[in-house]
Amino acid sequence: MALACVADSVVTLENEAQLDDFMAAYIEDTADKLPLFVLSGGSNVLLPAALKAIVLQPKMRGIHLTNQTDDYVEIEVMAGENWHDLVVHTVNQGWYGLENLALIPGLTGAAPIQNIGAYGVQLEDRLHYVRAYHLPTQTWHHLSAADCQFGYRDSIFKRTPNTWLISRVGFRLHTDPANILASYGDVQTVAQRYAEQQGREQAMPHDVMQAIIDIRQQKLPDPKQLPNCGSFFQNPIIAQERFTALQATYPAIVGYAMADAMMVKVAAGWLIEQAGLKGGGIAPIFTHKQQALVLTNHTPQQATQEDVAIAQKYIAATVYEKFAIQLSREPVWVNADGSIGYAEHVA
């Protein structure tokens, strides 16, 4: 979001041993200690102007093939690897399953925290394990996907912020190019067009990845050109009967049935647009003219957390007044002491 922020101290970690050494010294220091704040690529956080904390930045690099069969591969990816570059690398290697998550900003170590997802795929669908350091006990842990307690845009890491520092993420990916998920939104049409241009009848993972890249670039602004943190509001999940009732009034409402068939995930962008707020907001924070789900900052390095909060509350209140659906913020609100503000400026 390009909110200017200065921290008291930053520790860049290029390997796991550095973290062990730092934490040993940190625990032994008997003076008043600043709190610790773990920061990855910063693409999904709303930072204060001054951060009175020690920032730990995991920048370990490396992608390693750890196991291979006729049907799948297992890879281990260090936390500092760029997420989109990882997706492109895996598809080019013939390791499939991450292609629907192309062009999501940020680093790999942060991906499990909010269980990133897009176009019908959640990170938990592909994640095999996580290696993470538990800051309160100064111990390393190997966590399975079940241990991560994933939910929709949620995990044990998100629910206990600044408790875990992820250093490695393990994935299990398949090797069957015919096995794709391209039924979400416009993906199938665009992917099929790419396949036909290459003289193939069926779309393959590379076609799906390129289709998603194109769609995201058309709908989402480049943060380098217009500061934003991607989807600002989570898609709300409501009861099927409530969704059916809304359909009677709004036949075009966009929703996706959840696995249990009793709940429906409603497109927050559609709600915001139908509330008349596509391109709207409160200066200098506005929704994007092409994708109402994205909040954009029109005064980079000048706008503050409070500016974001004012626009957020206005948009959420307008949507609630029209649909009686509560919107929840997706990016992480960071307080001045590095703690995470769940209640601050709740939508």
Side-chain angles (χ1 to χ4, degrees), residues 3-210:
L3 307 180
C5 175
V6 177
D8 277 27
S9 179
V10 177
V11 178
T12 301
L13 303 167
E14 296 183 354
N15 57 65
E16 293 170 339
Q18 282 182 292
L19 180 57
D20 286 319
D21 293 342
F22 168 79
M23 288 302 298
Y26 180 79
I27 295 302
E28 288 180 6
D29 185 0
T30 57
D32 290 337
K33 290 193 281 281
L34 288 171
L36 301 176
F37 175 65
V38 181
L39 179 68
S40 185
S43 62
N44 198 48
V45 295
L46 301 171
L47 294 168
L51 188 54
K52 299 296 182 181
I54 299 173
V55 177
L56 300 178
Q57 281 202 292
K59 292 297 181 74
M60 307 86 162
R61 302 293 301 275
I63 303 171
H64 311 287
L65 177 65
T66 58
N67 189 25
Q68 187 168 13
T69 72
D70 292 338
D71 300 320
Y72 66 85
V73 298
E74 292 177 348
I75 62 172
E76 185 175 77
V77 185
M78 302 305 289
E81 290 290 336
N82 176 276
W83 176 259
H84 175 67
D85 291 347
L86 168 66
V87 173
V88 174
H89 175 75
T90 57
V91 171
N92 288 341
Q93 291 292 321
W95 306 335
Y96 307 127
L98 300 180
E99 54 273 4
N100 290 52
L101 305 179
L103 216 62
I104 294 177
L107 305 181
T108 299
I113 294 174
Q114 68 158 17
N115 189 20
I116 62 171
Y119 298 98
V121 173
Q122 307 295 319
L123 185 80
E124 64 179 305
D125 302 330
R126 310 293 183 249
L127 184 138
H128 192 34
Y129 66 85
V130 165
R131 176 169 165 79
Y133 187 88
H134 190 242
L135 294 168
T137 58
Q138 303 92 57
T139 53
W140 286 100
H141 294 259
H142 180 101
L143 293 89
S144 67
D147 293 332
C148 295
Q149 300 177 23
F150 289 123
Y152 174 62
R153 299 295 183 271
D154 194 29
S155 69
I156 188 175
F157 312 112
K158 186 174 182 179
R159 292 194 295 275
T160 56
N162 293 326
T163 299
W164 298 93
L165 185 148
I166 296 172
S167 65
R168 311 176 185 216
V169 184
F171 297 95
R172 177 174 288 179
L173 306 175
H174 68 85
T175 55
D176 179 5
N179 180 5
I180 62 171
L181 177 59
S183 58
Y184 207 97
D186 300 330
V187 176
Q188 189 168 27
T189 301
V190 180
Q192 188 63 35
R193 184 165 67 241
Y194 271 112
E196 292 171 357
Q197 289 173 356
Q198 298 298 318
R200 289 182 276 101
E201 292 184 3
Q202 300 296 325
M204 297 176 66
H206 193 279
D207 303 314
V208 173
M209 179 181 73
Q210 192 57 54

